[in-house]
Amino acid sequence: MKHIVIIKYSVKISVLTILSVIFLFASCQAQTDKIDREALVKRNSPLLTQFDTLASLSVGNGRFAVTVDATGLQTFPERYAAGVPLGTQSHWGWHSFLNTKECRFEETLESYDFGHNRPGLYAVQPRPSRDPAEMTKIMQRMDAANYFRVNPHRLHLGITGLELLQADGSHATPENISGIDQQLDMWNGQINSSFTLDGNPVKVSAVCHPSVDRFAATVASPLLSKKRAGVKFRYPYPTGQHSDDACDWDRPDSHRTQIVGQGDRFAVLERNIDTTTYFVKIAWEGQAALKEKSPHYFVLETSSDELSFTVDYAPENTFPETETFGETARQSQEHWRQFWQKGGAVDFSLCTDGRAKELERRVVLSQYLTAIQSAAPEPPQETGLTYNSWFGKFHLEMHWWHHVHFALWNRTEMLKPSLEWYKTVEPVAREIAVRQHFEGIRWMKMTDPSGLEAPSSVGSFLIWQQPHYIYMAELIYRQEPTRETLEKYLHLVMESAAFMASFATLDEAGNRYVLKGCIPAQETLRPDETVNPPFELSYWHFALSVAQQWRERAGMERDPKWDDVINRLSPLAEGDGLYLAAESAPQTYREQRFTSDHPIVLGAVGILPQSSLLKPDVMRRTFDWVWDNWNWDHSWGWDYPTAAMCAARLGEPEKAVNALLMDKQTNTYLPNGHNYQNDRLRIYLPGNGGLLTAVAMMCAGWDGNTVPTPGFPKNGTWNVRWEGLEVMP
C-alpha cells in the first residue's frame, strides 16, 4: 500500500508521475499474483481440424511414447511416414541386424597424432583409396564402420490403429473422413478425437500410463457393431535407416509375431526379430475378440458400439496388473496435473507485443514434448521417441540441450535418471581415454545404451560433450547442496575433469595451454588444423573451475594441475577486432564455412558466464557481427536460443526476444509444438530444450545479475510473469 499513500499525500506530484506510480504498482501486483497454470496450459493445447502429416500428436511418460494421427490412433502410418511419423518407442527397445560379415569394432579404429606427443586410436569412417591393394582392407573397415553406426538401432514397437471399412468393404482412406475435431489436452495428458465416416460418428480418447509402457484408448462408434470398425495391431521389421519411421512392411518372413498367452479379455504376443525379443499384451473390456488377419496383423472386434483397451510393451513376458482405460486415464490425469502445478511457469498473457502469444505456445508445448520423450534412464535422441534419427542413437553433445532446462524449471527429477547412465558406461568411456593416451574418461558422442562409440569422421573428434556432466551435476548440487549429492556425482565429475586437464596441451614457448586435435561445436572446422576454438576454451575454464569447487566441497585439496590449466588456458583468439572461430582460423570472417552451421562463439557468453579468457567489448562486437552477417538460413534449432542467451547477458533484451522468434525455417514450431528443421529432421528436440533454457534464463537471470527479468525488453510490451524458475550459472 506504500504507493497509494504516496499518491494520496504528495500533492505536488505531476499527473505523469502519478500515472507512472500507478503503473508500477499494477505491474508489481501482477508479478506477485500466482499464475493460473490450468488456464495457461489449456489455452495452448493444440486443436486440429484436418489431416496434417506434420501435426501428429503424442502421449508419453518420458520413457515411452506413442504418436497418433488425426483419427486419434495410428490408423494411417504410411501417410505420415514422411511427416511426423506415428511412432511407438521405448527407451529399452533396440535391435541389431545379424553381424553376417563378422565385423569387429577394432576394425573401425584409426591412428591420429594431433600433436599431443602420442598417437591415439579413433573410431572413424574410413575414406576410399585409389590404391587397389589398400582398398580391400579399407572396404573391410568400411563394413565395420557401417555396421557399428547402424547397430544397434531403436525399434518401432508396433502400430495401434483403427481398422476402418467403407460400406463396400474396402479400407477407408483419409479422404473418406470428415468433421475432424482433435485436441491434445495437455492438462490431463489425453488426446480426444472425433470424426465422421459415411455419416457415422467416431470418438477416440487415448492416454499413456505415467509409469509403465502402456497405451490405452477407448473408441465409440456405431461402426464397431456394424463390423466396419475395429482396432488393428501391426508389427514391422526395422529398416536400419538413418532417419525414418523404422517400419519395413515388406519383409514379413524376416520376423515373427505369435500369440503366446490368451484369456477371455487379453492376449500376449511375442515378437522375434533376429536375436531381439519383446512382448506385447493387449487387454480389452467387455466382449471382444482378437483375430489374426495376416502375419504381424491382428484386429480386435466387438459387437458393441464402444471398445476400450490397453496395450503394454515389455522386454520380458512380465507385465504389471492390467488396468482399465478409465483407471489409466485417471492416473494420467493425476500425473499431468501434478506436473503442471509443480516446477516453473511463464505467463505471457499480459504482454502486448504481438509475438508473445506464439512464444507462450512454444514454451508450453516444449515443456510437454520434452516431458513425454526426454526423461528416460538414458539421454534422448534428437527426435525423441517419435521416430529414428541417426539410427535412433543419442548424441551426448546434445544432452545439455535436452536436459539443462529440467533443472532450471525446477524439474530436476527428470534430469537425474539420465546422469545415472553415465555410471554404467564409465568403463567404455575410460577405454576411449586409454586408447588415446589421456587421463580420466572421455565421453563418447554418438552412442546407445551400451555406450558403444558409433564410428564417425566428425563425432569421434568432438569434445564439447565432455564438460556437460560437470555442468549438469552442478545444477543438481545448486538445488540440493548436500553431502549425498556430492558423493553421488563426485567421482564422475573428477574423472571428467581429469580428461579435460590432460587433453589441454602445454605450449611452453607461449607459456599457455592450448586445445587442439578436435572438431569444435561448429562442425565445419577440421580436427587436424583446429587450435583453440572459443567455446571449448571457455567451457574448459568453466568446468575445471567448477570441478575444483567440488573437490573443496568434498574436503579435498585443489588439484594443482587443474589450477595450472585454468590459470594458463589460452585466451580467445581475436582477428579484425572480433573473436575467431578458432585461433587457427584467421580467415573466419572471409570464408563462408566459418559463418554457417552453429554460431557457437556466442555460447562463450550466453551458455556460459563471462570468464577471464575474453573481453566484454570484443564479445559485444562479435555478437553484433554475427547478428548482422551470420548465415541463419543454415543454422540449427538450438542456435537461436544460443543467440538469445548471449544477447541477454550482453544487455540486449530486444535482440534476445528477436532471436527466439527469428523467422527462419529451422526456427519453425509446428502446430504440435515440435521444432522443424528440414525434410529429414521434421522434429528436433534440442530446439525445444534450448528454447526452455533460454526463456528460464531470460526470466530468472544468472549469477550476479541484478536486473529483474533481464532477457525481456522494459518497453511496456513484455510484461512477463514467471514463477518457480532457477537462476543460471
Side-chain angles (χ1 to χ4, degrees):
M1 301 297 290
K2 182 178 180 181
H3 296 300
I4 296 177
V5 173
I6 292 174
I7 294 171
K8 181 176 180 180
Y9 292 105
S10 299
V11 294
K12 294 184 180 180
I13 293 179
S14 67
V15 173
L16 180 60
T17 302
I18 293 174
L19 291 175
S20 298
V21 173
I22 292 174
F23 175 81
L24 176 63
F25 173 73
S27 177
C28 293
Q29 185 66 36
Q31 287 288 343
T32 59
D33 287 345
K34 190 170 180 61
I35 293 172
D36 185 340
R37 298 194 177 202
E38 182 175 1
L40 171 65
V41 173
K42 287 187 172 180
R43 67 174 174 257
N44 289 288
S45 290
L47 177 63
L48 305 176
T49 58
Q50 61 183 357
F51 281 96
D52 181 348
T53 59
L54 289 174
S56 48
L57 303 175
S58 303
V59 290
N61 57 28
R63 302 166 303 281
F64 167 79
V66 178
T67 301
V68 303
D69 61 27
T71 68
L73 295 178
Q74 299 166 315
T75 305
F76 301 106
E78 292 87 352
R79 184 68 65 95
Y80 280 71
V84 177
L86 310 183
T88 302
Q89 295 190 343
S90 175
H91 74 97
W92 51 260
W94 295 81
H95 165 265
S96 290
F97 294 120
L98 298 178
N99 189 357
T100 57
K101 295 184 179 181
E102 299 182 346
C103 297
R104 295 178 295 109
F105 182 76
E106 292 74 19
E107 294 174 305
T108 72
L109 300 179
E110 189 170 324
S111 179
Y112 289 84
D113 187 350
F114 296 116
H116 293 113
N117 300 319
R118 51 197 183 275
L121 294 175
Y122 294 77
V124 299
Q125 299 160 284
R127 297 177 180 178
S129 171
R130 294 183 179 180
D131 183 347
E134 288 293 319
M135 199 58 199
T136 300
K137 296 180 180 179
I138 290 176
M139 288 300 297
Q140 186 174 357
R141 294 184 56 235
M142 283 183 175
D143 288 340
N146 291 335
Y147 181 83
F148 289 107
R149 274 183 68 79
V150 172
N151 299 290
H153 43 263
R154 204 179 299 259
L155 276 172
H156 191 304
L157 298 176
I159 289 290
T160 302
L162 288 173
E163 182 87 341
L164 295 174
L165 303 178
Q166 299 188 80
D168 62 3
S170 63
H171 281 90
T173 68
E175 289 71 27
N176 303 131
I177 291 172
S178 61
I180 294 172
D181 186 347
Q182 183 179 52
Q183 185 170 39
L184 170 59
D185 178 2
M186 293 186 291
W187 184 252
N188 295 303
Q190 183 165 313
I191 300 173
N192 298 309
S193 312
S194 63
F195 61 90
T196 300
L197 175 62
D198 293 340
N200 294 279
V202 182
K203 292 186 177 181
V204 180
S205 293
V207 297
C208 176
H209 194 282
S211 59
V212 299
D213 294 353
R214 174 179 297 148
F215 177 67
T218 185
V219 182
S221 175
L223 291 172
L224 290 168
S225 59
K226 294 177 182 179
K227 303 301 182 183
R228 289 181 53 195
V231 179
K232 62 184 176 184
F233 305 91
R234 298 172 61 200
Y235 302 95
Y237 189 74
T239 64
Q241 295 299 306
H242 181 283
S243 302
D244 69 351
D245 64 354
C247 293
D248 185 343
W249 300 106
D250 298 325
R251 299 183 62 182
D253 296 334
S254 298
H255 57 124
R256 185 176 64 176
T257 308
Q258 59 180 334
I259 297 176
V260 295
Q262 198 162 13
D264 289 340
R265 295 183 180 179
F266 78 91
V268 176
L269 309 181
E270 180 180 313
R271 294 275 294 129
N272 301 110
I273 312 172
D274 299 319
T275 59
T276 299
T277 299
Y278 67 94
F279 297 85
V280 184
K281 182 179 181 181
I282 303 168
W284 54 88
E285 301 171 44
Q287 295 300 312
L290 183 71
K291 300 178 181 179
E292 185 171 3
K293 184 174 181 179
S294 62
H296 320 295
Y297 194 151
F298 301 80
V299 178
L300 182 64
E301 295 181 334
T302 181
S303 298
S304 172
D305 286 346
E306 186 170 341
L307 179 59
S308 298
F309 64 93
T310 60
V311 190
D312 285 37
Y313 300 86
E316 305 289 343
N317 192 2
T318 304
F319 294 94
E321 182 179 351
T322 299
E323 296 172 346
T324 63
F325 166 80
E327 176 59 21
T328 305
R330 185 195 66 77
Q331 293 196 48
S332 172
Q333 180 185 87
E334 181 179 329
H335 166 79
W336 282 104
R337 291 185 179 186
Q338 289 181 359
F339 171 84
W340 292 114
Q341 289 167 345
K342 293 180 179 179
V346 183
D347 183 340
F348 294 89
S349 62
L350 298 181
C351 301
T352 57
D353 188 294
R355 301 168 297 170
K357 185 176 181 180
E358 170 60 13
L359 184 55
E360 181 183 271
R361 183 187 76 89
R362 296 182 182 191
V363 168
V364 173
L365 281 166
S366 292
Q367 290 177 75
Y368 177 80
L369 291 172
T370 55
I372 67 171
Q373 307 203 61
S374 304
E378 307 90 16
Q381 66 170 320
E382 263 79 324
T383 46
L385 296 169
T386 299
Y387 77 97
N388 282 0
S389 55
W390 286 275
F391 314 103
K393 298 178 189 284
F394 41 88
H395 297 171
L396 292 197
E397 89 280 17
M398 288 294 99
H399 195 184
W400 195 97
W401 297 97
H402 284 294
H403 275 167
V404 161
H405 68 89
F406 283 136
L408 299 182
W409 285 74
N410 259 306
R411 295 187 175 115
T412 310
E413 69 279 1
M414 304 184 81
L415 162 63
K416 290 179 180 179
S418 63
L419 291 193
E420 293 301 298
W421 171 82
Y422 285 80
K423 297 178 182 178
T424 68
V425 301
E426 178 188 354
V428 185
R430 187 175 301 281
E431 191 275 331
I432 296 174
V434 168
R435 62 176 155 86
Q436 295 170 4
H437 305 288
F438 296 114
E439 298 177 14
I441 50 182
R442 180 171 188 169
W443 299 118
M444 57 292 295
K445 189 269 194 196
M446 176 175 161
T447 188
D448 59 75
S450 73
L452 181 74
E453 182 180 30
S456 172
S457 298
V458 173
S460 296
F461 302 104
L462 292 183
I463 59 171
W464 68 293
Q465 70 272 24
Q466 187 67 24
H468 285 349
Y469 185 92
I470 299 173
Y471 192 106
M472 290 185 282
E474 175 68 8
L475 291 183
I476 295 173
Y477 182 81
R478 288 161 67 103
Q479 293 190 24
E480 302 173 14
T482 65
R483 186 73 190 181
E484 181 182 1
T485 302
L486 283 175
E487 292 175 352
K488 187 172 185 178
Y489 302 105
L490 180 65
H491 173 67
L492 292 187
V493 167
M494 297 295 99
E495 294 300 304
S496 299
F499 169 84
M500 295 173 66
S502 69
F503 186 85
T505 302
L506 179 60
D507 171 16
E508 294 184 357
N511 190 32
R512 62 177 186 151
Y513 283 92
V514 301
L515 301 183
K516 59 182 179 179
C518 64
I519 293 180
Q522 188 177 355
E523 294 181 9
T524 55
L525 282 71
R526 294 184 284 268
D528 56 346
E529 62 183 25
T530 299
V531 177
N532 284 338
F535 177 70
E536 282 75 5
L537 279 173
S538 302
Y539 211 173
W540 248 237
H541 187 278
F542 172 82
L544 283 173
S545 299
V546 170
Q548 291 285 46
Q549 293 177 27
W550 275 66
R551 292 182 67 90
E552 293 175 326
R553 292 167 182 164
M556 303 165 63
E557 295 290 329
R558 292 176 68 90
D559 188 301
K561 170 64 182 299
W562 300 3
D563 271 340
D564 190 39
V565 174
I566 293 168
N567 295 330
R568 290 199 284 168
L569 202 57
S570 300
L572 274 59
E574 301 176 38
D576 301 324
L578 306 172
Y579 283 127
L580 301 174
E583 182 180 313
S584 51
Q587 69 276 41
T588 290
Y589 300 101
R590 296 186 292 276
E591 285 191 25
Q592 186 175 0
R593 74 183 176 106
F594 294 113
T595 56
S596 61
D597 196 50
H598 304 297
I600 193 61
V601 63
L602 304 184
V605 177
I607 296 172
L608 302 172
Q610 169 81 37
S611 78
S612 59
L613 300 183
L614 54 84
K615 306 168 187 174
D617 58 331
V618 179
M619 193 56 170
R620 181 175 294 277
R621 289 197 300 270
T622 303
F623 173 85
D624 290 339
W625 192 96
V626 170
W627 183 263
D628 294 334
N629 298 283
W630 193 261
N631 189 358
W632 293 106
D633 289 320
H634 290 83
S635 284
W636 293 67
W638 56 268
D639 295 338
Y640 308 99
T642 297
M645 289 186 282
C646 184
R649 292 204 196 238
L650 294 177
E652 297 279 359
E654 291 84 1
K655 287 186 176 178
V657 172
N658 291 342
L660 292 185
L661 294 163
M662 194 179 295
D663 186 15
K664 297 295 179 181
Q665 176 177 292
T666 51
N667 199 35
T668 299
Y669 282 74
L670 300 171
N672 50 25
H674 277 297
N675 178 209
Y676 178 89
Q677 300 297 284
N678 50 44
D679 289 342
R680 186 178 70 168
L681 287 175
R682 282 89 72 188
I683 69 176
Y684 189 62
L685 287 173
N688 298 95
L691 170 71
L692 293 176
T693 298
V695 169
M697 179 252 234
M698 291 162 65
C699 289
W702 50 89
D703 292 345
N705 167 69
T706 58
V707 178
T709 318
F712 290 93
K714 304 300 184 288
N715 57 13
T717 65
W718 286 96
N719 184 10
V720 181
R721 298 197 303 149
W722 61 271
E723 60 193 28
L725 302 175
E726 293 293 327
V727 173
M728 197 172 182

